[in-house]
Amino acid sequence: MADTARARRLAKRIAQIVASGLEHEVKDPRLAMVTITDARVTPDLRDATVYYTVFGDDADYASTAAALNSATGVLRSRVGDQTGVRFTPTLTFVADTVPDQARRMEELLAKAKEADDEVARLASGAVPAGDADPYRVSADTEDDDDDTDGVDDEDFSDADVRRGPQGG
């Protein structure tokens, strides 16, 4: 059975090693604006996926992906030297989309807030189409015997009540 705690610890260590390697060892100018955000290791500790973000546009993402693919061997050697595991995991680099999704969510929330503010502004000056309280009871019907069924209680005798609705 695989030890997921060990895989998480190894993934964290791999992210640190790769980030340090990109900063100090790999001298590719295309990797200047790369940030390692996360790493995941399979439970068998054979494969590692390293997530990264790039400050820039789509062209920067494409050049960074090419630079990371060319530096994979150096970074994997560094991971093997510094982790001490029997089998050095293969490294796969994947662009992290979480910051883009978070930015998109913030934009959608801002739009929703603007729409809510507009509805609140329109509702503040609105008046009801009919009565302000359509369920209001008029003063002359409140004086009755609180009949909610619309039938006077005086129309029934005690015998009618005992017999029930079928009369038997």
Side-chain angles (χ1 to χ4, degrees):
M1 177 168 263
D3 185 12
T4 56
R6 183 174 182 205
R8 282 192 304 263
R9 285 192 312 267
L10 182 61
K12 187 176 179 180
R13 182 70 181 130
I14 288 173
Q16 292 170 348
I17 293 168
V18 169
S20 175
L22 288 174
E23 183 178 356
H24 299 294
E25 193 167 323
V26 179
K27 301 297 180 192
D28 193 336
R30 298 176 291 179
L31 298 174
M33 301 302 282
V34 175
T35 302
I36 302 300
T37 57
D38 195 15
R40 303 280 168 96
V41 177
T42 58
D44 63 356
L45 308 179
R46 297 284 180 162
D47 298 309
T49 304
V50 179
Y51 296 93
Y52 66 94
T53 61
V54 179
F55 185 72
D57 56 359
D58 290 336
D60 292 333
Y61 268 100
S63 65
T64 299
L68 285 172
N69 284 335
S70 68
T72 300
V74 172
L75 294 172
R76 186 171 180 224
S77 298
R78 196 171 156 100
V79 166
D81 292 342
Q82 294 185 17
T83 57
V85 292
R86 181 177 296 171
F87 179 82
T88 303
T90 59
L91 299 179
T92 305
F93 292 95
V94 176
D96 195 357
T97 59
V98 171
D100 295 332
Q101 291 173 353
R103 190 176 316 110
R104 174 85 172 120
M105 290 299 291
E106 287 177 3
E107 290 171 0
L108 291 174
L109 288 172
K111 276 186 183 177
K113 184 179 180 333
E114 289 174 13
D116 286 347
D117 292 343
E118 178 67 17
V119 168
R121 186 188 63 76
L122 291 174
S124 67
V127 293
D131 289 336
D133 184 9
Y135 301 107
R136 163 179 78 200
V137 179
S138 64
D140 58 339
T141 58
E142 288 180 5
D143 295 338
D144 290 344
D145 295 328
D146 292 336
D147 284 338
T148 58
D149 57 359
V151 178
D152 288 335
D153 292 337
E154 297 164 356
D155 293 343
F156 292 104
S157 66
D158 290 337
D160 290 336
V161 172
R162 280 185 291 238
R163 281 194 301 244
Q166 281 113 11

